[in-house]
Amino acid sequence: MYRYDDYDQTIVRQRINDFRDAVERRLSGHLSEEEFKLIRQMNGVYLQLHAYMLRVAVPYGSLDSRQMHKLAHIARTYDKGYGHFTTRQNIQYNWPALRDMPDILEELAAVDMHAIQTSGNLIRNVTADPYAGAAAEELADPRPYAELIRQWSTLHPEFSFLPRKFKIAVNASATDRAAVKFHDIGLQLKNDPQQGRGFSVVVGGGMGRTPFVGPILRDFVPEAQILTYLEAVLRSYNELGRRDNAFKARIKILVHELGKEAFSEMVEQEFARLLPTADDLPTVELARIRSQFITPTFDQLPDQDADYEQALKTDDAFAHWVAVNVVPHKQPGYAIANISLKPYGGIPGDISADQMDLVADLAQTVGHDEIRATHAQNLVLPHVRKRDLYTVWQALDKAGLATANLDRASDIIACPGLDYCVLANARSIPIAQEISKRFAAKGREDLIGELKIKISGCINACGHHHAGHIGILGVDRKGEEMYQLTLGGSGAEDASIGQITGRGFDEAGIVDAVDTVVDTYLGQRKTDETFLETYRRLGPAPFKEALYGTA
Amino acid sequence: MERLDLRKLTGAHLKPYRQMDDDAPMPEEGAVLVSLERLTAESETLLAHNYPVGLLVPGQAKAADLAPWLDKVALIAIRFEKFSDGRGFSLAHRLRDEQGFGGEIRATGHLIADHAEFLLRSGVTSVELSDPLAVDHFIKRLKLYSLWYQDTLDARPTILELRHGRTRKRLAS
Ligand code: HEM
Ligand code: SF4
């Protein structure tokens, strides 16, 4: 965990006072509703269908027990007793009152948290690999870089009124768990034999109505120059991004319309101008940030633990959970435990205050005090000793948090959809619940293996349907809620955009359609082939035939 | 129109400028703001006058296009067409950092108090506001913030400098 110093604290406190002031100016009529909208968004306050919501930043998805307890407290005191983890590693409260917002922000500040820049047309909360610091194959912990960028982008004087929102993700493993290719800027850490550590920089990825797998704008930027390079990209975007049409305002459209080469040339020119006077302070600062991270002191353990092995043999449910939700850790004797927030038939990402407290307690007692939120709307205990896994699982199981479905059919990402969102065409959550129940009931998940289903209630694609192995998109057909199906997307290192199968389905039909697609896969797959591999090998034809019959 | 110096938190010493339409006759006296088009077309007569001439440009103007005039005009006024349009911040930054402009940069147009600190730190030195109350809000906000992470384009220390006990290169050089 990164520990705030007095400066970080002061920034957050100043911003709260500022927000109080803005609320007062709004109430006294000195800010128009339109002007206030922008300011509240910059502070994480969004207007939904029924009420205001507060989106709290969980920078790069990292939390400690103190912070998780605070989130539980806020859920109990100011909301209806639960919170909702989002696809950008944040947590959202759907029911707090506007007048309580500044007080909630004070509560958050007490544990080094805030809601700054979780909404609005500016650089949003920076996301990163949820397994950071634990993954066996990572080059380095990506979080210090993400923290450097968080600070640099916080209340940035020049980049707080951009054409549109701007999302940056950092990944440091060969496996991409941060969806870097679908971000406005995606940073992939790499080692260069001559220049040392740096980033390959993806610019202009995104979802929405015009999805793009972002192109690599520069193959290598030394880590010491990364803020300078970001400055060059952001300045070019701020000056040239379209402001005439909100749907064409993202950087992906600018890169697409200008062409990658022309945009890159512009950025290179600005980068070259900035480099000679660029300061080395960020590099010095990176070292300080690293030292401000509390990194766990791991026990020196043998990789195998007799009691753990015994529990695996005697308790099938535990063994099943381990097989599905637990992944290898870089440290012998340790494991990474994924906590699914996708109980069968539940609302993806929802978690009660009591469950938050339990996760916090587990982290504190047996998890080196670390918790992560993932972009798939789940949680992670990144550092658990194998010998503690059985205790952890028992506690999770009692609290309804031990669903063994990581990356399985029922581990669905869904946006808020028509249940909460003003822009929605159709409901997302009930579809997720029905699909989840369908696969739970049949118990086919183990047979199917890895399958990522993602659901958005409209073309804005908050539920990442473009990147789903199976994607579902809510559309409006003459006032009726309908769903389109896309196949073959991926948000990982092999990123791709799903293709639409054909005409849409109604609420009941879409669940059957998913079933049909999965059956087709099971019938056609070769040994050990995942759904995505089978789809890529066969193409859409057999799936279309199964869905619509031969034309 | 009210004026405010963002560093001194008063506008008493700031000159008022009259915005001139491109076809409006020039006044006998008083400072004026003209567009880049007019300045380019009438530079000889305009700059020969004994009143200060400032350049009024929209946020999307290119700093490099203004370069030939920077040592000839009394001030650059950047017009914010809409409060949500942040191009003026980048223009101010470029005028300072890329073009080395050391004179007054004044922001006008659709400004809200929430811009105050951002304007100052992007290199804007003064603002023109239509509402006297807005001046109070600007001052209040400027007093609210004492610290910032990023480079400020003026002598005020950033958090990085405070943390590491040294001055950044750009200013030192
Ligand atoms: C309920 C209120 C919400 C509204 C009105 C809303 C609105 C939007 C809009 C308009 C876009 C398209 C932006 C663009 O392409 O320029 C978008 C994209 C996105 N939203 Fe939401 N959203 C809401 C909730 C959420 C929630 C709860 C999440 C997280 C679970 C979320 C995550 C995203 C993501 C990840 C994108 C995606 C894609 C991208 O960056 O290109 N949104 N949202
Ligand atoms: S995808 Fe559409 S329906 Fe879903 S949250 Fe985003 S804007 Fe709302």
Side-chain angles (χ1 to χ4, degrees), chain B residues 17-36:
Chain B
Y17 278 76
R18 245 172 85 187
Q19 289 186 20
M20 304 305 299
D21 285 338
D22 279 356
D23 51 2
M26 282 295 154
E28 290 301 315
E29 55 185 341
V32 294
L33 284 176
V34 296
S35 70
L36 181 62

Side-chain angles (χ1 to χ4, degrees), chain A residues 46-48 53 55 84-88 92 164-165 167 182 184 205-209 246 250 252 377 414-416 420-423 460-462 464:
Chain A
Y46 221 113
L47 192 60
Q48 300 203 102
M53 74 174 196
R55 190 183 288 159
H84 179 80
F85 278 96
T86 77
T87 49
R88 298 208 72 255
Q92 202 158 291
R164 203 70 180 84
K165 58 181 158 185
K167 301 175 180 180
F182 280 110
D184 296 284
M207 313 247 187
R209 68 185 56 209
R250 296 287 290 271
K252 64 189 176 187
Q377 302 180 280
C415 81
Y420 294 98
C421 177
V422 278
L423 304 177
N460 287 318
C462 304
H464 296 189

Side-chain angles (χ1 to χ4, degrees), chain B residues 112-124:
Chain B
I112 56 176
D114 305 84
H115 288 140
E117 186 56 37
F118 297 145
L119 287 168
L120 176 58
R121 288 157 54 205
S122 296
V124 174

Side-chain angles (χ1 to χ4, degrees), chain A residues 151-380:
Chain A
Q151 294 185 20
W152 167 77
S153 62
T154 296
L155 308 184
H156 197 288
E158 195 184 337
F159 307 136
S160 290
F161 297 87
L162 296 171
R164 203 70 180 84
K165 58 181 158 185
F166 204 93
K167 301 175 180 180
I168 302 178
V170 190
N171 194 59
S173 289
T175 309
D176 180 1
R177 282 174 293 258
V180 293
K181 291 178 185 164
F182 280 110
H183 280 75
D184 296 284
I185 291 185
L187 299 175
Q188 176 70 44
L189 194 70
K190 62 192 274 192
N191 273 332
D192 181 271
Q194 267 84 50
Q195 303 175 80
R197 203 168 274 164
F199 296 94
S200 109
V201 183
V202 171
V203 178
M207 313 247 187
R209 68 185 56 209
T210 35
F212 284 105
V213 173
I216 294 176
L217 202 64
R218 202 179 216 266
D219 199 44
F220 190 80
V221 178
E223 66 170 25
Q225 298 171 0
I226 194 64
L227 290 187
T228 308
Y229 191 76
L230 292 182
E231 180 179 338
V233 174
L234 264 297
R235 182 163 301 124
S236 306
Y237 169 58
N238 191 38
E239 292 174 333
L240 296 169
R242 286 180 62 170
R243 292 174 187 268
D244 58 330
N245 179 343
F247 293 121
K248 304 202 161 164
R250 296 287 290 271
I251 195 173
K252 64 189 176 187
I253 304 290
L254 179 65
V255 174
H256 180 70
E257 286 183 353
L258 282 177
K260 180 190 131 179
E261 276 65 37
F263 184 71
S264 161
E265 217 168 282
M266 210 170 294
V267 170
E268 286 300 319
Q269 202 181 343
E270 179 63 1
F271 187 44
R273 180 183 79 77
L274 293 171
L275 270 182
T277 51
D279 209 283
D280 64 337
L281 264 176
T283 319
V284 180
E285 176 62 6
L286 194 56
R288 188 201 67 87
I289 288 174
R290 285 205 182 96
S291 72
Q292 283 291 108
F293 266 87
I294 304 171
T295 39
T297 317
F298 294 119
D299 297 342
Q300 297 305 316
L301 298 169
D303 198 38
Q304 298 307 323
D305 180 84
D307 292 342
Y308 166 67
E309 302 292 335
Q310 186 57 29
L312 284 177
K313 280 192 201 108
T314 52
D315 193 325
D316 286 348
F318 172 60
H320 184 232
W321 179 77
V322 168
V324 179
N325 283 32
V326 173
V327 298
H329 195 282
K330 65 178 181 189
Q331 180 74 20
Y334 278 80
I336 300 172
N338 285 277
I339 301 174
S340 169
L341 299 184
K342 319 286 175 63
Y344 296 118
I347 297 177
D350 268 13
I351 180 169
S352 74
D354 291 347
Q355 288 175 325
M356 288 186 224
D357 278 333
L358 173 84
V359 171
D361 288 338
L362 287 174
Q364 196 183 6
T365 50
V366 292
H368 287 281
D369 209 19
E370 287 208 37
I371 304 156
R372 305 289 168 73
T374 79
H375 85 264
Q377 302 180 280
N378 291 317
L379 294 176
V380 179

Side-chain angles (χ1 to χ4, degrees), chain A residues 8 18 21 158 239 279, chain B residues 90 94 141 145 149 169:
Chain A
D8 299 310
D18 187 9
D21 182 62
E158 195 184 337
E239 292 174 333
D279 209 283
Chain B
S90 284
R94 276 200 199 270
R141 273 194 53 113
Y145 287 101
Y149 289 114
K169 229 164 86 179

Side-chain angles (χ1 to χ4, degrees), chain A residues 529-547:
Chain A
E529 212 175 33
T530 64
F531 173 82
L532 190 61
E533 286 162 353
T534 303
Y535 181 81
R536 284 180 175 172
R537 178 170 57 81
L538 295 174
F543 296 93
K544 283 188 182 177
E545 195 183 315
L547 286 167

